[in-house]
Amino acid sequence: MIKKLSISHIKYFICLFLSAFVVIVLSACGSDFDGYVDENVDYTNNTFTVEETNGHKIGVSMPTKDLQRWVQDGENMKSQLHNFGYTVDLLYANNDKNLQNEQIKSMIDSGCEVLVIGAIDGSAIAESLETAKKAGVVVIAYDRLIMGSDAINYYATFDNQLVGTLQGQYIVDALDLKNTQGPYHIELFTGSSDDNNCNFFFGGALEVLQPYINTGKLIVTSGQTTKEQCYTQGWSTDIARERMENILKTYYADGTKLDAVLSSNDSVALGIAEALSAQYNGDFPLLTGQDCDINAVKNIINGKQSMSIFKDTRNLAAKVVEMIDAIISDETVPINDTTTYNNGTGIIPTLLCDPVFADKNNYKEILVDSGYYTEDQFK
Ligand code: GAL
């Protein structure tokens, strides 16, 4: 006896058949949305609309667009976060401390669960950081440690002490201070007084250079040897150029040869090189830098800057995305330094990426072959 099929049985088999049919049709046309990465979309231009997101929103607050590296930091992070389905609120604060404070508050109000902040001046955003803490928003300090706030959960950066020692060691090696008598004349430049990184850049470089200054093999002709005397407010190219011009006019007008200039980054080195170009041609003084900005690499190629430090913002962005993914998934956050970075409220768990020495001999390999730049960008 064939058992009479109930209506519900018939409905069940119809649904089963229809769902099988839908699956067959879909797999035949191929889903044009495979997770969050659509190979036909250029994520770097960020004009795409992601049909689906993972429902989480991330705020990325960068200090300025005036320096190329921060533009790359922001764009790299945004495209990599999009690849993981995150909605991203990326804002640049034009080096305006109050604007950055307002932008961070707007990110919190719009529902960002994690904030990545490249602070202009950490002390100027205390109010918005307090708001973040109260709202349970996780804060990652990006490449600049934010001091004095207990709202900072993590720090992601490059080993900035190593940046300084690489710059100092370059000068020691290029002048061959270990094996020559000297004396050699040097001037010292670092970055903005409101950037905690300068403690590491300047400190790292002087750790290497100070012994030679103490013995007189290196002479800072201007006598400007303290960090305070060597600050370049806002990392400004113009301020660096004016200070270098004044030093040359005051201390080198008698024909004293300047042998080397320590500069903590490329935007400062750019101003120094402009001032030096008015006085030096073939025998250009050694000049250090950091960030491998395109203009700096052009100066390295044409002999007006000796070296820079490559901080691959693609790597740092990728690491920050890993940290964010772990935070959102409530998993262990990848960090590799739990002792160095005390922001005044305690040690901040940190993820350090490695900076890389760059000069005329290896810039093609590390910058062009790696796809960071094209050769044409240096023309
Ligand atoms: C520093 C950063 C450097 C340099 C400088 C100017 O904090 O670590 O890479 O870019 O700011 O923006």
Side-chain angles (χ1 to χ4, degrees):
M1 162 125 164
I2 295 173
K3 193 177 167 201
K4 264 182 89 180
L5 287 178
S6 69
I7 296 292
S8 55
H9 276 101
I10 293 168
K11 279 182 183 171
Y12 171 74
F13 284 115
I14 290 171
C15 290
L16 204 62
F17 169 76
L18 284 176
S19 48
F21 175 74
V22 167
V23 167
I24 291 163
V25 167
L26 265 185
S27 51
C29 353
S31 153
D32 63 359
F33 193 78
D34 174 21
Y36 301 112
V37 179
D38 182 331
E39 63 284 348
N40 301 316
V41 172
D42 171 10
Y43 287 97
T44 54
N45 68 18
N46 296 303
T47 55
F48 71 103
T49 51
V50 177
E51 291 87 350
E52 284 177 75
T53 66
N54 61 20
H56 299 286
K57 189 172 188 181
I58 311 298
V60 178
S61 169
M62 291 285 108
T64 175
K65 281 194 165 185
D66 292 349
L67 287 192
Q68 172 206 335
R69 63 134 313 167
W70 297 112
V71 176
Q72 282 164 268
D73 289 284
E75 295 304 334
N76 279 326
M77 240 177 300
K78 182 169 185 174
S79 55
Q80 292 189 36
L81 283 166
H82 276 148
N83 288 349
F84 281 78
Y86 290 99
T87 303
V88 182
D89 194 355
L90 167 63
L91 294 172
Y92 295 87
N94 306 327
N95 270 336
D96 177 331
K97 301 172 186 179
N98 296 326
L99 175 60
Q100 186 167 44
N101 200 42
E102 291 311 309
Q103 287 177 337
I104 292 170
K105 279 194 277 188
S106 74
M107 289 174 179
I108 298 165
D109 294 344
S110 72
C112 290
E113 295 169 70
V114 180
L115 295 177
V116 182
I117 302 175
I120 299 164
D121 174 355
S123 61
I125 54 173
E127 181 196 342
S128 52
L129 291 175
E130 194 50 36
T131 307
K133 187 169 178 248
K134 285 184 182 138
V137 173
V138 176
V139 177
I140 300 174
Y142 183 89
D143 202 35
R144 292 175 172 174
L145 184 56
I146 296 171
M147 302 302 287
S149 168
D150 62 1
I152 309 304
N153 303 90
Y154 299 98
Y155 180 33
T157 188
F158 292 86
D159 185 336
N160 292 311
Q161 182 83 11
L162 178 57
V163 169
T165 50
L166 284 171
Q167 293 168 336
Q169 194 57 48
Y170 174 80
I171 291 172
V172 169
D173 297 343
L175 293 178
D176 193 12
L177 295 182
K178 280 192 169 42
N179 305 308
T180 58
Q181 280 307 307
Y184 299 94
H185 296 268
I186 185 172
E187 296 298 333
L188 309 172
F189 288 68
T190 190
S192 196
S193 63
D194 52 15
D195 185 344
N196 179 66
N197 279 353
C198 295
N199 297 315
F200 296 97
F201 299 145
F202 194 75
L206 270 288
E207 196 177 272
V208 176
L209 298 172
Q210 194 63 52
Y212 297 99
I213 294 172
N214 294 344
T215 61
K217 191 172 277 192
L218 274 180
I219 298 173
V220 183
T221 318
S222 69
Q224 297 168 18
T225 55
T226 68
K227 190 171 51 186
E228 290 66 27
Q229 291 171 312
C230 300
Y231 280 137
T232 310
Q233 211 48 34
W235 295 89
S236 159
T237 298
D238 292 340
I239 292 174
R241 183 182 58 250
E242 283 157 26
R243 179 170 169 246
M244 188 74 257
E245 284 168 349
N246 289 335
I247 288 174
L248 288 171
K249 195 164 46 187
T250 312
Y251 301 100
Y252 292 84
D254 62 359
T256 302
K257 168 106 175 48
L258 177 59
D259 298 295
V261 184
L262 171 75
S263 168
S264 291
N265 99 314
D266 290 346
S267 62
V268 171
L270 200 58
I272 293 165
E274 288 166 0
L276 293 174
S277 299
Q279 188 157 326
Y280 293 94
N281 284 315
D283 55 348
F284 218 79
L286 298 174
L287 176 56
T288 66
Q290 171 190 187
D291 297 323
C292 285
D293 286 346
I294 288 174
N295 287 336
V297 177
K298 287 179 180 174
N299 274 353
I300 288 172
I301 294 166
N302 66 34
K304 292 196 171 175
Q305 183 171 328
S306 310
M307 56 77 75
S308 188
I309 300 287
F310 180 44
K311 302 188 339 183
D312 192 335
T313 54
R314 295 168 301 187
N315 294 345
L316 187 56
K319 290 294 181 191
V320 167
V321 171
E322 273 180 51
M323 293 171 81
I324 291 169
D325 242 13
I327 291 164
I328 296 293
S329 320
D330 200 18
E331 288 163 6
T332 307
V333 178
I335 52 170
N336 56 17
D337 184 312
T338 56
T339 57
T340 310
Y341 295 94
N342 188 323
N343 82 331
T345 68
I347 293 289
I348 306 298
T350 296
L351 182 117
L352 285 181
C353 290
D354 294 330
V356 174
F357 172 87
D359 68 0
K360 204 169 191 170
N361 302 318
N362 72 348
Y363 82 90
K364 276 203 177 74
E365 179 200 340
I366 62 170
L367 298 174
V368 180
D369 299 351
S370 76
Y372 199 76
Y373 293 132
T374 64
E375 191 67 60
D376 286 349
Q377 286 177 283
F378 302 134
K379 296 264 190 290

